[in-house]
């Protein structure tokens, strides 16, 4: 049943930058994005306790007063604002400016009034009135009779270390299925206010099944569906999406899930949400909401927001709860109100995901060799990854029975399999497409060469009771036996004599073979005279011993190399498929988690590139679309000099010897807000490196230009402190440094004279009172059961014992009043020692305990 749209879902937006898809009124120009940002920021005062009201223009004669809940700015060209229209219930606004790009909205739910902010390629800002339905992602209903994932007060704490699944390691994009709870703040959800989401109330078996369902729905895409936070964090923000599975439905009460349309590439980690319980309902909702983040709208019918399907089929972007098969759709069912091509939209270049690499060729020339093992057994797996994709295999037979089973994944499959067996002449021997998703072949064949094709198919009438082959995609397996069967042989066979003497040939699988590796195969140096090449492969012949210099390519049998002047002259060879495998490329420096402090004299960009079936010709380095330089020799690096403050997008392109190009990218931030500067010599001499707040292990320090045991003096910006460690990995003795030190040879830290010159090997730079401010607004209810932290007695008269079990020998203690003002000088005490609070007045305080790298806060009552 279609549900009425509640007001809270009006924060779910489609913030696209183009104009062509909107039937909107004439746009009102706002000047440049930079000028607009400065106009709005000028109305507020950073750091004030009560966030200000600002004026948001929507036309030449109309402005809205709006209250800020989130205000972020990073330089003159970057800012983010989230809040609500003052005095207007059920309203919200969001605005983000990054360089020349503006996106945002104002929405008033009760009156259904809406405006969209955007920019053109030149950085000119505009606002226009739009139909609210063009911005709203309607809420996904819950399954009939279903509520949330269970009692929110008793949600199970699913442990992320229990499972660490990946559907496509190395995918261009990543989706994290987040089951263990998440604290979300500063996003358009809840008007920028925090959401502290509880863990999913799912069993381990349900977690795995839900991941399997979502993975299969996205099997055709070059995207990694994972449950690993560590894997998720290796991807840049504009190539990843967190999908939070939780009973905490603050983002959209009453719905099964909710998402921001096209938010996958927003570069701000705004998540999507799923509130349904169970593997089927939760998985269908997760695939649906992730689809929204990749630009998809809803599949419904006139007067019906969601189509629940027909027969045994439903569209993923409709309601898939009640049908065993749910697939992507292009509106082929009767009276569809959405004809968009789901697959084309999700694989559009703006999201940087695309289709996965095709695993098997579609033509006879590119047919894969069907492996037949001992006992005539066959066991093969593959993926149908595009509409109409055909995976073609070839094999020989001496004649006998062929009995094979073709199955999609065991549960929640999207692929309906069609199998065809044909002979050398192209005549169909048998075709299998029975009821259900699987297929079988069981027949007797005579001696000869055969081809076996696997593809996706439809069932029934897609208009009334079935589906086409449009999204019949996914993984499959082939298992069984071929009596008398024989694989067609190696990709290439080389012979020491002309005429391809079968008795002397040595087979080569695809790969690279130097002179030494050929000799290990039994092929003497400069002893190749003839070749046999299997269809779909080629061989590259080199006179050099290490696959370098000029080469000759052959794709057909050669009875004698004499006519090419290559007889008895080959020292290395490369055998490869005619289907070129794209090169592999990844950015190794800078790390995606690092933020540089402006100005930066040099940022070294480094990449690793490899081509498994050829060579890398060049690696190019870009800032967005602007080329910075290129390198043709590994290791591939580029030194970017004199980089100012701003948000950048590093793009690395690797090109192989057959012209295939692979691209990877990650965001890079250079902040104008440096927190500390480190100097090589005492008295602020020698080389200097500025850093922003963050955690820096030894490897990260090296990348930022600070070698091990290098720091001799520091300057610390007011409001920040440095937690410095002697050893890498945030281990060993440590000290909190809260002020400038002109020479660290003999310096006083918390009343102790120490020599810290050339001592620092890892560090944490952080705001001084950040922990206190967080603690001041959170209750201690969830912490009372934590017996690893002891602050006793509490209430306290004069002395309190502070102990953290399992942590460092020393603790750093700070004490703040409830307004965030530090009331006691920072102290370094032994773990388990007492702290003298006799000088404090009676009242409520917050004690901040630094144990190793962890900051723990507790409420403290002084009597």
């Amino acid at each position: 049943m279609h549900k009425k749209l509640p007001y809270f879902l009006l924060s779910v937006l489609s913030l696209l930058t183009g104009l062509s898809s909107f039937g909107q009124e004439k746009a009102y120009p706002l000047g440049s994005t930079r000028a607009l940002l400065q106009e709005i920021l000028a109305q507020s005062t950073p750091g004030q306790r009560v966030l200000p009201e600002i004026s948001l223009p929507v036309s030449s004669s109309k402005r809205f007063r709006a209250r800020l809940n989130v205000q972020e700015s990073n330089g003159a060209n970057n800012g983010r604002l989230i809040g609500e229209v003052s005095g207007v219930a059920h309203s919200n606004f969001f605005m983000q400016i990054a360089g020349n790009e503006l996106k945002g909205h104002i929405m008033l739910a009760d009156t259904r009034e809406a405006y969209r902010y955007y920019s053109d390629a030149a950085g000119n800002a505009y606002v226009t009135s739009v139909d609210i339905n063009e911005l709203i992602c309607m809420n996904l209903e819950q399954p009939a009779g279903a509520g949330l994932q269970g009692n929110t007060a008793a949600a199970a704490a699913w442990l992320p270390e229990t499972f660490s699944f990946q559907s496509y390691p190395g995918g261009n994009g990543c989706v994290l299925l987040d089951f263990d709870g998440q604290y979300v703040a500063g996003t358009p959800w809840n008007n920028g206010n925090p959401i502290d989401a509880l863990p999913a109330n799912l069993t381990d078996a349900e977690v795995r099944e839900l991941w399997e369902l979502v993975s299969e729905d996205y099997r055709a895409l070059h995207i990694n569906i994972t449950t690993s936070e560590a894997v998720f964090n290796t991807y840049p923000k504009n190539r990843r999406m967190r999908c939070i599975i939780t009973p905490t439905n603050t983002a959209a009460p009453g719905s099964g899930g909710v998402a921001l349309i096209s938010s996958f590439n927003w570069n701000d980690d705004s998540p999507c949400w799923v509130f349904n319980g169970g593997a089927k309902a939760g998985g269908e909702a997760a695939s649906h909401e992730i689809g929204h983040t990749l630009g998809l709208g809803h599949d419904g019918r006139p007067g019906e927001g969601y189509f629940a399907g027909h027969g045994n089929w439903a569209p993923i972007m409709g309601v898939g709860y009640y049908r065993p098969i749910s697939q992507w759709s292009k509106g082929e069912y009767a009276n569809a109100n959405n004809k968009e091509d789901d697959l084309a939209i999700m694989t559009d270049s703006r999201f940087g995901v695309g289709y996965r690499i095709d695993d098997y060729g579609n033509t006879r020339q590119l047919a894969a060799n069907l492996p037949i093992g001992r006992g005539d057994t066959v066991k093969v797996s593959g993926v149908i990854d595009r509409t109409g994709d055909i995976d073609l295999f070839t094999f020989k037979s001496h004649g006998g029975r062929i009995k094979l089973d073709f199955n999609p994944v065991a549960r929640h499959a999207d692929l309906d399999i069609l199998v065809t067996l044909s002979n050398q002449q192209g005549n169909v021997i048998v075709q299998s497409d029975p009821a259900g998703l699987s297929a079988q072949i069981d027949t007797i064949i005579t001696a000869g060469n055969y081809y076996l094709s696997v593809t996706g198919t439809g069932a029934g009438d897609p208009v009334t009771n079935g589906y086409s082959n449009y999204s019949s995609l996914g993984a499959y397996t082939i298992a069984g036996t071929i009596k008398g069967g024989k694989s067609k042989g190696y990709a290439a066979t080389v012979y020491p004599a002309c005429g391809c003497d079968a008795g002397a040939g040595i087979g080569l699988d695809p790969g690279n073979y130097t002179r030494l590796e050929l000799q290990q195969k039994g092929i003497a140096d400069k002893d190749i005279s003839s070749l046999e090449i299997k269809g779909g492969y080629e061989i590259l012949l080199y006179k050099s011993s290490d696959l370098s210099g000029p080469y000759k390519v052959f794709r057909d049998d050669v009875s004698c190399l004499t006519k090419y002047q290559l007889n008895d002259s080959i020292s290395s060879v490369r055998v490869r498929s005619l289907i070129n495998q794209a090169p592999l490329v990844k950015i190794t420096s800078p790390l995606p988690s690092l933020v540089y402090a402006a100005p930066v004299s040099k940022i070294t960009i480094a990449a690793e590139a490899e081509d498994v079936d050829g060579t890398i010709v060049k690696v190019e380095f870009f800032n967005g679309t602007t080329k910075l330089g290129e390198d043709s020799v590994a290791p591939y690096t580029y030194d970017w000099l004199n980089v100012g403050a701003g948000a950048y997008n590093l793009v690395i392109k690797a090109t192989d010897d057959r012209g295939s190009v692979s691209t990877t990218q990650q965001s890079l931030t250079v902040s104008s807000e440096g927190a500390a500067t480190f100097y090589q010599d005492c008295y602020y001499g020698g080389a200097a490196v500025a850093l922003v707040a963050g955690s820096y292990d030894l490897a990260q320090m090296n990348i930022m230009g600070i070698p091990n045991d290098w720091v001799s003096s520091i300057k610390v910006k007011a409001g920040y402190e440095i937690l410095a460690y002697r050893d890498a990995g945030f281990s060993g003795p440590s000290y909190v440094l809260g002020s400038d030190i002109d020479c660290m040879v003999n310096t006083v830290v918390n009343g102790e004279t120490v020599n810290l010159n050339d001592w620092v090997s890892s560090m944490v730079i952080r705001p001084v009172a950040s922990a206190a401010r967080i603690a001041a607004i959170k209750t201690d209810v969830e912490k009372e059961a934590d017996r690893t932290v002891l602050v006793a007695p509490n209430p306290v008269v004069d002395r309190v014992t502070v102990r953290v079990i399992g942590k460092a020998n020393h603790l750093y203690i700070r004490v703040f009043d409830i307004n965030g003002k530090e009331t006691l000088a920072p102290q370094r005490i032994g773990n388990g020692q007492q702290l003298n609070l006799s000088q404090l007045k009676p009242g409520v305080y917050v004690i901040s305990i630094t144990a190793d790298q962890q900051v723990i806060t507790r409420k403290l009552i002084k009597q």
Side-chain angles (χ1 to χ4, degrees):
M1 178 182 295
H2 176 61
K3 298 184 178 180
K4 183 178 179 181
L5 176 68
Y7 73 84
F8 48 81
L9 288 175
L10 297 182
S11 63
V12 185
L13 309 171
S14 174
L15 302 178
L16 305 177
T17 57
L19 288 172
S20 59
S21 61
F22 293 89
Q24 59 217 354
E25 296 182 4
K26 184 177 179 180
Y28 173 60
L30 300 170
S32 69
T33 56
R34 176 190 177 103
L36 176 64
L37 177 63
Q38 294 309 308
E39 175 193 343
I40 293 174
L41 292 179
Q43 302 174 50
S44 63
T45 303
Q48 63 190 81
R49 290 194 175 277
V50 179
L51 288 172
E53 283 193 342
I54 59 174
S55 177
L56 298 174
V58 295
S59 72
S60 58
S61 59
K62 187 172 184 178
R63 286 176 173 261
F64 285 102
R65 296 296 299 174
R67 182 181 182 276
L68 278 172
N69 292 329
V70 174
Q71 174 185 338
E72 301 171 356
S73 61
N74 181 14
N77 297 331
N78 300 279
R80 201 158 179 265
L81 309 167
I82 307 172
E84 51 207 297
V85 177
S86 300
V88 179
H90 312 154
S91 65
N92 61 77
F93 81 88
F94 167 66
M95 182 181 294
Q96 181 168 297
I97 295 175
N100 285 338
E101 183 182 4
L102 163 68
K103 59 187 176 186
H105 74 278
I106 299 175
M107 303 191 68
L108 295 83
D110 294 346
T111 61
R112 303 189 70 77
E113 188 176 355
Y115 301 86
R116 187 174 69 92
Y117 288 98
Y118 64 95
S119 57
D120 60 21
N124 298 307
Y126 300 90
V127 64
T128 187
S129 173
V130 297
D131 183 340
I132 200 169
N133 292 296
E134 294 176 347
L135 301 179
I136 296 171
C137 164
M138 304 289 283
N139 62 311
L140 177 67
E141 62 188 54
Q142 294 177 347
L148 294 178
Q149 294 180 28
N151 186 341
T152 58
W158 180 78
L159 299 177
E161 61 269 22
T162 304
F163 297 122
S164 182
F165 301 135
Q166 296 188 68
S167 67
Y168 195 18
N172 292 336
C174 179
V175 171
L176 172 66
L177 299 179
D178 189 344
F179 297 94
D180 61 349
Q182 184 71 12
Y183 184 81
V184 178
T187 76
W189 299 116
N190 200 26
N191 289 344
N193 295 312
I195 300 175
D196 197 355
L198 291 171
N201 191 18
L202 300 172
T203 66
D204 289 352
E206 288 174 322
V207 166
R208 178 171 189 128
E209 185 177 352
L210 192 155
W211 170 80
E212 289 177 2
L213 189 157
V214 178
S215 296
E216 190 61 15
D217 284 343
Y218 288 89
R219 187 76 65 189
L221 274 60
H222 207 300
I223 195 168
N224 190 8
I225 310 298
T226 185
T227 59
S228 170
E229 184 93 22
V231 171
F232 173 80
N233 287 333
T234 65
Y235 284 80
K237 289 184 179 181
N238 65 344
R239 290 294 178 266
R240 70 189 191 191
M241 173 55 57
R242 181 188 298 270
C243 182
I244 302 173
I245 295 93
T246 176
T248 306
N249 64 350
T250 305
S255 70
V258 70
L260 300 161
I261 295 178
S262 298
S263 56
F264 188 88
N265 63 353
W266 279 11
N267 201 37
D268 68 352
D269 271 347
S270 293
C272 64
W273 303 82
V274 169
F275 312 120
N276 288 341
K280 172 66 172 174
E284 294 291 351
S287 289
H288 180 105
E289 302 306 342
I290 296 164
H292 279 314
T293 72
L294 289 167
L296 302 185
H298 284 133
D299 291 332
R301 297 184 295 190
E304 180 184 36
Y306 298 90
F307 180 48
H310 54 219
N312 63 357
W313 177 90
I316 293 172
M317 298 310 297
V319 178
Y321 304 144
Y322 314 114
R323 313 288 176 176
I325 301 173
S326 59
Q327 298 175 336
W328 305 112
S329 171
K330 59 178 180 178
E332 296 173 293
Y333 57 88
N335 302 315
N337 65 359
N338 184 0
K339 300 285 188 178
E340 69 183 12
D341 186 330
D342 286 355
L343 294 170
I345 291 172
M346 291 191 293
T347 57
D348 184 87
S349 60
R350 61 188 165 135
F351 299 117
V353 174
Y355 284 104
R356 70 187 292 136
I357 299 172
D358 193 14
D359 48 2
Y360 299 110
N362 288 14
T363 66
R364 287 195 168 201
Q365 184 185 24
L366 301 178
N369 188 41
L370 184 68
I372 302 174
R374 288 185 177 181
D376 302 322
T377 58
V378 175
K379 190 173 183 180
V380 178
S381 61
V383 175
I384 301 300
D385 51 63
R386 287 169 177 78
T387 306
D389 177 28
I390 299 173
D391 285 359
L392 198 61
F393 302 89
T394 183
F395 65 94
K396 287 182 179 180
S397 174
H398 299 306
R401 185 181 184 186
I402 173 172
K403 185 176 182 181
L404 299 173
D405 293 319
F406 304 80
N407 292 307
V409 294
R411 49 188 178 185
H412 308 301
D414 293 10
L415 174 63
D416 190 344
I417 299 175
L418 169 66
V419 178
T420 304
L421 175 68
S422 58
N423 61 19
Q424 181 73 36
Q425 293 72 38
N427 300 318
V428 175
I429 306 302
V430 64
Q431 191 170 72
S432 176
D433 180 23
L437 303 181
S438 298
Q440 302 81 34
I441 286 182
D442 189 351
T443 190
I444 304 296
I445 56 177
T446 59
N449 296 325
Y450 290 88
Y451 292 90
L452 189 65
S453 72
V454 181
T455 189
T457 187
D461 185 349
V463 176
T464 59
N465 63 2
Y467 50 89
S468 73
N469 73 332
Y470 166 72
S471 187
S472 188
L473 309 172
Y476 66 87
T477 58
I478 307 174
T481 58
I482 300 178
K483 292 296 182 181
K486 182 181 179 182
S487 296
K488 283 196 67 177
Y490 292 97
T493 305
V494 298
Y495 299 88
C498 289
C500 298
D501 181 359
I506 296 178
L508 298 175
D509 291 317
N512 300 323
Y513 300 89
T514 64
R515 176 170 57 192
L516 177 60
E517 290 166 327
L518 288 176
Q519 290 172 341
Q520 291 172 343
K521 286 279 188 180
I523 304 170
D525 186 32
K526 299 181 180 180
D527 197 32
I528 298 175
S529 296
S530 56
L531 314 165
E532 282 184 342
I533 311 298
K534 181 186 171 185
Y537 291 88
E538 65 182 11
I539 187 169
L540 285 62
L541 304 182
Y542 297 81
K543 291 186 176 182
S544 68
S545 62
D546 59 355
L547 299 112
S548 61
Y551 59 85
K552 180 70 175 178
V553 180
F554 295 95
R555 296 179 178 176
D556 296 305
D557 297 349
V558 179
S559 61
C560 193
L561 288 170
T562 300
K563 64 179 180 179
Y564 299 102
Q565 291 79 49
L566 293 175
N567 187 46
D568 293 339
S569 63
I570 301 305
S571 291
S572 60
V573 304
R574 172 175 288 123
V575 181
R576 64 189 183 189
S577 170
L578 293 180
I579 301 176
N580 184 24
Q581 295 188 49
L584 305 175
V585 60
K586 68 176 181 179
I587 299 174
T588 57
S589 177
L591 300 178
S593 59
L594 294 181
V595 176
Y596 288 80
V600 187
S601 59
K602 181 177 73 174
I603 297 177
T604 297
I605 308 170
E608 292 180 355
E610 177 187 6
D611 189 40
V612 296
D613 61 348
T615 58
I616 298 296
V617 173
K618 62 180 178 180
V619 173
E620 298 172 281
F621 301 85
F622 295 83
N623 169 28
T625 59
T626 302
K627 184 173 179 178
L628 301 173
E630 67 178 62
D631 195 355
S632 59
V633 179
Y636 304 102
T637 61
Y638 176 79
D639 289 335
W640 194 7
L641 305 178
N642 302 318
V643 185
Y648 302 97
N649 186 36
L650 299 180
V651 180
I652 313 296
K653 294 183 179 180
T655 304
D656 70 10
D657 58 328
R658 288 193 275 180
S660 287
V661 177
S662 290
T663 300
T664 187
Q665 57 186 316
Q666 74 179 37
S667 57
L668 169 68
T669 301
V670 179
S671 174
S672 59
E673 296 296 325
T677 304
F678 301 83
Y679 298 85
Q680 183 178 10
D681 300 328
C682 283
Y683 309 108
Y684 315 119
V689 176
L691 298 179
V692 300
S695 298
Y696 300 88
D697 202 350
L698 180 58
Q700 295 168 318
M701 288 172 55
N702 290 340
I703 290 173
M704 304 301 283
I706 302 178
N708 188 32
D709 296 340
W710 182 87
V711 178
S712 294
S713 57
I714 60 172
K715 289 185 177 180
V716 185
K717 185 177 179 180
Y720 290 89
E721 64 186 8
I722 303 166
L723 178 54
Y725 295 85
R726 183 194 65 189
D727 302 326
F730 311 103
S731 60
S734 59
Y735 292 90
V736 174
L737 313 176
S739 59
D740 296 352
I741 301 177
D742 59 8
C743 191
M744 299 174 69
V745 173
N746 288 296
T747 187
V748 178
V749 181
N750 302 134
E752 179 183 358
T753 300
V754 291
N755 183 357
L756 302 182
N757 186 53
D758 295 339
W759 185 86
V760 179
S761 295
S762 56
M763 68 177 104
V764 178
I765 307 173
R766 64 194 184 193
V768 171
S770 60
R773 288 198 296 268
I774 293 173
I777 63 173
K778 294 190 68 175
T779 68
D780 283 334
V781 174
E782 61 183 341
K783 300 174 181 175
E784 292 300 330
D786 184 358
R787 303 303 180 188
T788 65
V789 181
L790 174 68
V791 179
N794 192 4
V796 59
V797 176
D798 288 326
R799 295 180 179 272
V800 62
T801 298
V802 183
R803 182 184 181 196
V804 182
I805 298 174
K807 293 296 182 181
N809 293 329
H810 289 89
L811 306 175
Y812 286 95
I813 307 297
R814 313 182 85 103
V815 179
F816 304 87
D817 64 20
I818 59 174
N819 295 317
K821 180 181 178 181
E822 192 161 13
T823 58
L824 192 70
Q827 297 190 39
R828 183 172 186 259
I829 67 172
N831 194 347
Q833 290 185 352
Q834 288 187 334
L835 184 69
N836 188 350
L837 303 178
S838 59
Q839 63 270 48
L840 295 184
K841 297 179 180 179
V844 179
Y845 296 86
V846 174
I847 183 170
S848 172
I849 310 161
T850 298
D852 293 334
Q853 196 180 353
Q854 183 182 9
V855 178
I856 305 164
T857 58
R858 290 293 185 270
K859 182 170 61 179
L860 181 67
I861 300 175
K862 173 69 164 60
Q863 293 180 334

